[in-house]
Amino acid sequence: MLKYTLKRALMAIFTIWVIITITFFLMHSIPGDPFTDQKKIPPEIMEKLEKKYGLDQPLVVQYGRYLKNILKGDLGDSMKYKNRSVNAIIEEGAPVSFKVGMLAIVFAAVVGITFGTIAGLNRAKFIDFLVIILAVIGVSVPSFVFAALFQYVFGVKLKWFPVARWGTPAHYVMPVLALGIGYVAYIARMMRTSMLDVLNQDYIKTARAKGLSSIQVTWKHTIRNAILPIVTILGVSIAGIVVGSFVIENIFAIPGIGKHFVQSITHQDYTLIMGTTIFYAVILVVMMFLIDIFYGIVDPRIRLE
């Protein structure tokens, strides 16, 4: 297991390095620079700005220096936000994004697993068709459409929740619902499929033949085995829901990291683009690493292969 863990850890580190390298060179290949949208800057000022941020150096030198700073945990200073480091921007916005994302994934997991289980146990019945229809709608409709709908219905018309901003628990409800509803549908569909597969296994028939009650068979044998594929989905979903929350954050004016991610691309803020990309990449890779380790513990055949 130690050998398996070390192998996966090295693969994770290599993946992050590849993402950093590709992002760095692609970013610098885009025409323009972080200062082109400002008023006409005198050549001598432009020269000082480029020297300050190291843009006057060859690209390979910039890349080497950036990797060295990353190893020290320094993501550099933002080129658009004066006197603010990328580390400080991420530290300020990340907790808010994490809170929204984790609440959304908890909501998605609980509701999705519940709906999927009910649908799987009632195959070809009305409730099964209802869950399938709702799941198709949830997957097909983008989260920002749900966000606008929730704002209009629950915020403007009914006035149950604040339309935007952040602060009280009431501000959490609509962003969490809008962000999590697509994952509810995805998890429900996967859980239903997994339930149907497990229900056809021989050990389920054996458990019923032994005289176990429906509740015992469902909980101890069906759900516990059917939920394993959902672990993979949840791992990727946690990363995806945090990464993908920047649209919802902008709609609801949430002070998370998503706003900075969008603005950094618009303004070609090289250091902030790199910092947020690395931040999101690390989340995704770490979650995939933890999933691999979990699967290696649950099923020894995986690490042996």
Side-chain angles (χ1 to χ4, degrees):
M1 188 63 194
L2 179 60
K3 182 180 178 181
Y4 174 79
T5 303
L6 289 175
K7 182 180 178 181
R8 294 297 177 181
L10 290 174
M11 288 178 63
I13 294 172
F14 177 75
T15 302
I16 293 174
W17 172 75
V18 170
I19 293 172
I20 292 173
T21 302
I22 292 175
T23 305
F24 183 89
F25 286 102
L26 283 178
M27 178 185 63
H28 283 83
S29 67
I30 300 174
D33 57 68
F35 316 112
T36 52
D37 63 334
Q38 299 180 9
K39 295 179 180 179
K40 188 174 182 180
I41 300 176
E44 58 273 14
I45 301 298
M46 179 65 76
E47 184 179 346
K48 289 182 179 180
L49 287 172
E50 290 180 347
K51 185 175 182 180
K52 176 182 177 181
Y53 292 106
L55 300 178
D56 58 332
Q57 299 292 324
L59 196 56
V60 176
V61 175
Q62 296 181 46
Y63 172 70
R65 185 175 63 246
Y66 190 77
L67 287 181
K68 184 179 179 180
N69 290 335
I70 288 178
L71 293 175
K72 297 178 182 178
D74 182 13
L75 296 175
D77 295 325
S78 170
M79 297 180 181
K80 283 295 180 181
Y81 297 94
K82 293 183 179 179
N83 301 320
R84 295 197 67 187
S85 67
V86 175
N87 293 65
I89 293 173
I90 292 176
E91 288 173 5
E92 179 184 315
V96 178
S97 295
F98 268 121
K99 187 177 292 185
V100 177
M102 294 310 296
L103 287 173
I105 202 62
V106 169
F107 161 71
V110 172
V111 178
I113 291 173
T114 302
F115 281 8
T117 302
I118 293 173
L121 293 173
N122 296 274
R123 184 180 183 182
K125 296 182 180 179
F126 172 76
I127 193 168
D128 183 26
F129 293 127
L130 180 61
V131 170
I132 293 174
I133 292 172
L134 292 176
V136 171
I137 294 173
V139 172
S140 303
V141 180
S143 60
F144 61 84
V145 174
F146 283 117
L149 179 63
F150 292 159
Q151 283 181 322
Y152 178 74
V153 175
F154 300 120
V156 177
K157 289 295 183 180
L158 299 178
K159 300 187 184 299
W160 287 356
F161 305 106
V163 175
R165 307 303 298 173
W166 190 252
T168 66
H171 288 87
Y172 293 30
V173 178
M174 290 196 293
V176 168
L177 289 178
L179 189 58
I181 198 165
Y183 288 91
V184 168
Y186 187 48
I187 292 172
R189 290 175 62 187
M190 181 62 73
M191 187 65 185
R192 176 186 178 274
T193 302
S194 185
M195 284 287 293
L196 294 177
D197 181 59
V198 171
L199 286 171
N200 291 323
Q201 299 297 319
D202 290 337
Y203 60 83
I204 298 297
K205 298 175 183 178
T206 303
R208 287 173 176 167
K210 288 180 178 179
L212 296 179
S213 65
S214 298
I215 295 177
Q216 289 177 315
V217 173
T218 300
W219 177 249
K220 291 185 177 180
H221 299 282
T222 310
I223 294 179
R224 290 180 65 178
N225 288 282
I227 207 171
L228 281 176
I230 308 302
V231 174
T232 304
I233 296 175
L234 288 178
V236 178
S237 298
I238 290 172
I241 211 166
V242 174
V243 173
S245 64
F246 60 84
V247 175
I248 298 299
E249 288 179 13
N250 277 271
I251 292 175
F252 289 99
I254 298 172
I257 197 173
K259 175 184 67 176
H260 300 298
F261 183 68
V262 174
Q263 291 180 352
S264 68
I265 297 173
T266 304
H267 297 151
Q268 287 189 261
D269 190 339
Y270 293 158
T271 50
L272 190 53
I273 291 174
M274 289 298 300
T276 50
T277 301
I278 293 170
F279 174 74
Y280 287 138
V282 168
I283 293 175
L284 180 58
V285 172
V286 168
M287 290 309 306
M288 296 304 297
F289 170 74
L290 294 177
I291 291 169
D292 286 340
I293 300 304
F294 176 79
Y295 262 58
I297 295 173
V298 173
D299 190 349
R301 292 173 300 176
I302 295 176
R303 61 175 183 267
L304 289 176
E305 292 173 357

